[in-house]
Amino acid sequence: EAGVAQSPRYKIIEKRQSVAFWCNPISGHATLYWYQQILGQGPKLLIQFQNNGVVDDSQLPKDRFSAERLKGVDSTLKIQPAKLEDSAVYLCASSLEGTGVNYGYTFGSGTRLTVV
Amino acid sequence: GQQVMQIPQYQHVQEGEDFTTYCNSSTTLSNIQWYKQRPGGHPVFLIQLVKSGEVKKQKRLTFQFGEAKKNSSLHITATQTTDVGTYFCAGRTGGSYIPTFGRGTSLIVHP
C-alpha cells in the first residue's frame, strides 16, 4: 500500500513569513495527525483529525498555527507568521484508529522547516 | 499531565552487544507503542503492548510491559549496525486518544 505522502520535504523561510505543509494519508485511514519534532526530542502532537473533524488541538498554538482537513482525506498545516522556534520537522501520520481501538501510526517522511 | 520518561538518552555499544531502553510513566497506561526512527528518517511503528506483564518478541527484539502498566522496556540481543537509530516509546492513558512520546533513546552501534 502507498504510504503517507507529505510535501514539501524541505522548506527554508524567514521569520514572520508564512508556510504551508500538505499531507495525504493512507487510503482508508480515518484518523490523521500532525506532529512537531524538534531536533533531539520525541514527536509532539499538534492536532488530531477523525475524518474531517478535529478530535484534539489542545497543543496547537492557535495564534499562528492552523490546520484543516476539508474532505476527510488530505490535510494542510499552516504557520503564519513563523518564528525561529518553529524550526522543526513536521510529521503527518495516519491510522485506522477508531473509538476504543488503538492502532500504530504510519508516519510520512516529514517536512523539515528551517526559519531564519 | 502525563509524562513519559525514557532512559538512557544515548547508548553506545559494540556490534554484538545487547541493548536495553526503558520507558517510565507517571500514570497507568492503557497501552504503549514502540517506534524506531533511523537517522534522517521518520518514526516507524514496531509494536503495541496492551496487557499487564505482556512480553512480545520480534526476532532479536523483546518488548515488555510492566505488571503495573507504568513501565516498559525494549531489549535488543546481539546488536547489528542496522539497529542504529532512535527508539521511542509512546504511552497512552485510558481516557485519552493522544499518546505521549518519550524523548527517545539513540542507539549507536560500533562495528
Side-chain angles (χ1 to χ4, degrees):
Chain A
E1 70 182 355
V4 176
Q6 284 189 252
S7 67
R9 283 300 309 274
Y10 305 94
K11 191 75 176 178
I12 300 174
I13 62 172
E14 295 182 350
K15 59 183 179 183
R16 291 187 290 274
Q17 285 188 325
S18 61
V19 64
F21 313 125
W22 174 83
C23 172
N24 189 268
I26 291 175
S27 177
H29 280 196
T31 309
L32 183 149
Y33 315 81
W34 283 101
Y35 280 85
Q36 180 193 58
Q37 187 174 25
I38 293 172
L39 187 65
Q41 297 184 18
K44 171 191 164 186
L45 182 75
L46 293 174
I47 190 167
Q48 177 185 355
F49 291 96
Q50 181 83 16
N51 296 308
N52 62 349
V54 175
V55 175
D56 190 297
D57 63 357
S58 58
Q59 299 186 93
L60 186 74
K62 299 180 186 65
D63 58 333
R64 297 183 302 105
F65 286 64
S66 64
E68 60 182 12
R69 192 185 185 198
L70 291 175
K71 296 183 179 180
V73 181
D74 55 353
S75 175
T76 55
L77 175 69
K78 297 179 182 178
I79 307 175
Q80 182 179 11
K83 293 184 175 181
L84 295 177
E85 58 261 35
D86 298 331
S87 294
V89 176
Y90 290 85
L91 294 162
C92 178
S94 70
S95 79
L96 284 167
E97 200 144 301
T99 303
V101 182
N102 303 142
Y103 294 91
Y105 299 172
T106 302
F107 283 88
S109 297
T111 297
R112 183 175 298 276
L113 174 67
T114 303
V115 183
V116 298
Chain B
Q2 179 193 354
Q3 291 192 6
V4 174
M5 309 297 292
Q6 251 187 286
I7 55 170
Q9 188 174 355
Y10 300 96
Q11 183 78 57
H12 290 256
V13 300
Q14 290 295 130
E15 190 172 19
E17 291 182 338
D18 292 356
F19 159 78
T20 305
T21 173
Y22 301 90
C23 185
N24 296 291
S25 171
S26 55
T27 57
T28 302
L29 302 170
S30 58
N31 63 52
I32 193 158
Q33 299 174 345
W34 285 92
Y35 292 80
K36 175 183 179 181
Q37 186 171 24
R38 294 182 185 273
H42 56 277
V44 174
F45 175 72
L46 294 177
I47 208 160
Q48 176 170 279
L49 304 173
V50 179
K51 299 176 183 176
S52 169
E54 189 169 15
V55 178
K56 288 188 177 180
K57 292 189 175 185
Q58 290 179 350
K59 297 183 180 178
R60 295 178 295 104
L61 277 60
T62 301
F63 304 84
Q64 291 189 308
F65 201 8
E67 294 290 340
K69 300 183 75 173
K70 285 188 174 182
N71 56 71
S72 180
S73 66
L74 158 59
H75 179 82
I76 302 178
T77 304
T79 54
Q80 300 175 358
T81 54
T82 53
D83 295 326
V84 165
T86 301
Y87 293 85
F88 293 98
C89 63
R92 194 186 318 237
T93 58
S96 172
Y97 286 107
I98 312 302
T100 299
F101 278 78
R103 293 194 61 153
T105 295
S106 293
L107 172 63
I108 301 100
V109 180
H110 299 278

